[in-house]
Amino acid sequence: MAVERSLQLGSGRIYVKKVTDETKIPSLKALCIEANQIGFIKGGATIEYTIDTKEIYDDLRMVNEKFITGEHAKLTSGLLTWNKSVIEALINNETTDFDGSILVGANGLSKMDKMIVIFEAIPNTGNVVRRFGMIGVSDSGLKMQYNPEDATVVDISFAAVADEDGHYIRIEEEDNEEEP
């Protein structure tokens, strides 16, 4: 029996929507709309899922069991195009001043806003569109490097929080008959 393989080149789009009452990771396709797209990606995106483990042995090394003790998921990327709403999504302790300026920090202890974060991989090759979604929080603040030799890219990072069923990432695939 041959193993089906899929090779996908390309990048994609990132969508972010503030969580209102969602406790489960919703279906992703309906949220992949222009109003939720926070910018265009530069340098690709990374979806990461890792586990913490604990290995238990008896004294004689006759019994060996391994357990998952923790799970972590993260989405990182860089945005080439962005605006003020991106800053607001990335910084939890920001406020908007009366003149429209964003003020960062000095709010002390504050609860982090949860977001539904989706990376939609748009293929340059093949015809499978993949979407990776999570409920997450911005976990790295804001980093922008202004360089006279290159475009400014905003580095973004979202760490997943488990939904009510303990899931961290939702993955959807669909055939795309259109040209990318």
Side-chain angles (χ1 to χ4, degrees):
M1 178 175 168
V3 175
E4 183 178 327
R5 295 187 177 138
S6 174
L7 172 65
Q8 182 169 340
L9 300 178
S11 188
R13 299 182 184 106
I14 294 185
Y15 303 89
V16 174
K17 183 176 185 331
K18 192 171 185 176
V19 169
T20 52
D21 60 355
E22 290 85 355
T23 56
K24 290 188 178 188
I25 303 170
S27 179
L28 305 177
K29 185 175 182 178
L31 296 173
C32 293
I33 59 173
E34 188 174 340
N36 295 333
Q37 186 176 354
I38 63 169
F40 287 91
I41 295 173
K42 173 79 173 160
T46 301
I47 298 99
E48 182 178 6
Y49 171 79
T50 59
I51 59 172
D52 299 327
T53 60
K54 174 90 174 162
E55 199 162 6
I56 307 293
Y57 297 96
D58 73 305
D59 291 345
L60 300 175
R61 301 260 186 205
M62 303 289 288
V63 175
N64 177 357
E65 297 289 337
K66 199 166 194 174
F67 300 92
I68 295 175
T69 59
E71 297 174 280
H72 313 278
K74 184 176 214 126
L75 184 143
T76 57
S77 187
L79 296 178
L80 180 63
T81 60
W82 50 276
N83 59 31
K84 194 164 72 168
S85 65
V86 172
I87 308 298
E88 292 166 350
L90 295 176
I91 300 175
N92 284 286
N93 61 345
E94 55 77 26
T95 57
T96 303
D97 202 358
F98 65 90
D99 67 356
S101 302
I102 295 176
L103 305 173
V104 177
N107 282 346
L109 184 63
S110 62
K111 185 176 178 184
M112 298 179 80
D113 293 331
K114 292 181 182 174
M115 308 281 181
I116 296 170
V117 184
I118 302 165
F119 173 68
E120 181 179 49
I122 308 297
N124 286 346
T125 61
N127 65 346
V128 176
V129 175
R130 291 183 174 93
R131 293 179 192 90
F132 303 83
M134 65 177 68
I135 296 174
V137 294
S138 173
D139 71 338
S140 66
L142 179 65
K143 179 181 174 187
M144 294 185 282
Q145 180 178 358
Y146 285 85
N147 180 343
E149 308 281 325
D150 204 357
T152 299
V153 174
V154 178
D155 292 328
I156 63 172
S157 176
F158 289 91
V161 294
D163 72 6
E164 70 179 22
D165 294 328
H167 301 126
Y168 285 86
I169 299 175
R170 179 183 188 114
I171 302 170
E172 296 176 354
E173 289 187 345
E174 75 175 81
D175 288 331
N176 180 20
E177 300 303 325
E178 301 174 20
E179 290 295 316

